[in-house]
Amino acid sequence: MPVPASPDLLGGQIYVFLLTVLAGNAVGLLYDLFRALRGPGGRRSWRSDLLDLLFWLVAGLLLAVAMTLGNWLEFRLYPLLGAATGIALYFSLASPVILGALLALRRALGRASSRLLRWLGRHALLPLRRALGHLLRATARRLRCARGRRPPGRRLRRLWRRLRRRRR
C-alpha cells in the first residue's frame, strides 16, 4: 500500500484514519483470541497474567507499527479516534461471531485431545497395566503363603480395584 505524501493533506489523514481503524480491528481480534485461550470464568493465575502481558505487548506493538506507517508517530487525535472506532466496530459487529467460533474450536480441540489421551491410557498402557496386575497377584500369593492368612492379599486386591475404578 503506498504511503501518502503527507498526513497534513486530507487524503493522508483519511489514509491514517483507515489504517488505525484496521489496527483497532486487529487489536479486537487479538483480544478475542486471547480471551478464547484463557477460557471461561477468567480465573486469575500465572497463565492468565502471562496471557495479559503478552496481549498488551503485541497490541502495543501493533498500534505502534500502525502509527509509524501512517502518521510517523506524530501525536494527533484522529489516529486515536480511528483505533477506538476500529475496536468499537469490531466488538459490535464481528466479536460475537468470531468469539463463538473460537470457543467452539477450543472445545472441539479439548474433546479430541481428551479422547486421544483416554485411548492412549487404555490401549498403549495396557501391557504395563497387565504386568502390574501379574506383579500384584504374585506378591499377594507370596504374602499369603508366607504368613498363612488372607488379609495382605485382600488389601492388595482392594487397592488394585480402587486403582482400576479410578481409571474408568
Side-chain angles (χ1 to χ4, degrees):
M1 204 184 287
V3 178
S6 170
D8 294 331
L9 301 174
L10 183 61
Q13 290 176 357
I14 291 173
Y15 169 78
V16 170
F17 183 77
L18 291 177
L19 185 69
T20 55
V21 166
L22 288 175
N25 279 326
V27 168
L29 178 65
L30 187 69
Y31 181 78
D32 274 349
L33 180 66
F34 278 94
R35 194 162 49 159
L37 282 175
R38 178 179 295 149
R43 294 163 289 213
R44 299 305 305 173
S45 67
W46 67 269
R47 184 175 151 233
S48 175
D49 293 338
L50 184 67
L51 285 173
D52 284 347
L53 178 67
L54 189 61
F55 166 76
W56 284 111
L57 286 174
V58 173
L61 183 66
L62 181 70
L63 287 175
V65 166
M67 294 291 198
T68 303
L69 283 177
N71 208 22
W72 295 279
L73 283 179
E74 281 186 32
F75 182 74
R76 296 184 183 206
L77 185 61
Y78 65 89
L80 297 176
L81 288 175
T85 302
I87 291 172
L89 282 174
Y90 175 80
F91 281 119
S92 62
L93 299 175
S95 180
V97 174
I98 290 177
L99 183 62
L102 287 172
L103 289 175
L105 178 66
R106 182 176 191 260
R107 279 191 300 272
L109 288 175
R111 279 191 217 117
S113 64
S114 173
R115 287 180 184 151
L116 176 67
L117 289 175
R118 200 175 315 131
W119 183 86
L120 285 174
R122 285 185 186 149
H123 300 291
L125 298 178
L126 186 63
L128 182 64
R129 284 178 34 204
R130 285 185 179 161
L132 183 61
H134 290 301
L135 180 67
L136 283 175
R137 280 192 291 277
T139 305
R141 267 187 249 122
R142 287 189 182 135
L143 286 174
R144 269 191 299 239
C145 292
R147 293 191 177 165
R149 52 191 172 127
R150 290 188 69 85
R154 286 184 187 157
R155 286 187 200 135
L156 288 174
R157 261 185 274 142
R158 264 191 248 135
L159 174 68
W160 178 246
R161 283 186 197 132
R162 255 190 258 144
L163 288 174
R164 283 181 50 203
R165 271 190 238 131
R166 285 185 188 166
R167 269 273 185 244
R168 294 179 196 162

